[in-house]
């Protein structure tokens, strides 16, 4: 997931801790929520532009 973050956005320690927790404890976190790396196509799909790709870090 770290690789999906733009290089200018630090990867949050809390997100890394959550990833470690799910690796040890499994899913689900809540309901059907699971972590996955974002992709730039999702932002384009929802908003129709790409000029913010290097300013937003996406995960879900």
């Amino acid at each position: 997931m770290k690789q999906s973050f733009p290089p200018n956005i630090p990867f949050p320690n809390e997100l890394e801790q959550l990833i470690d927790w799910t690796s040890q404890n499994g899913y689900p976190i809540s309901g059907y929520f699971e972590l996955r790396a974002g992709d730039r196509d999702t932002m384009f799909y929802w908003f129709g532009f790409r000029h913010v790709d290097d300013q937003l870090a996406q995960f879900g």
Side-chain angles (χ1 to χ4, degrees):
M1 191 168 304
K2 279 184 181 182
Q3 293 80 9
S4 71
F5 271 52
N8 59 324
I9 298 179
F11 193 77
N13 185 50
E14 294 82 2
L15 185 53
E16 189 159 5
Q17 290 174 339
L18 181 58
I19 292 168
D20 291 343
W21 187 90
T22 58
S23 294
Q24 294 174 12
N25 297 286
Y27 282 101
I29 296 170
S30 176
Y32 294 104
F33 180 83
E34 291 188 17
L35 290 171
R36 70 172 180 84
D39 60 31
R40 296 177 195 272
D41 290 332
T42 301
M43 293 298 289
F44 181 74
Y45 173 78
W46 283 103
F47 300 109
F49 51 80
R50 296 186 184 275
H51 67 276
V52 296
D53 284 349
D54 62 343
Q55 299 171 16
L56 297 173
Q58 176 188 354
F59 70 93

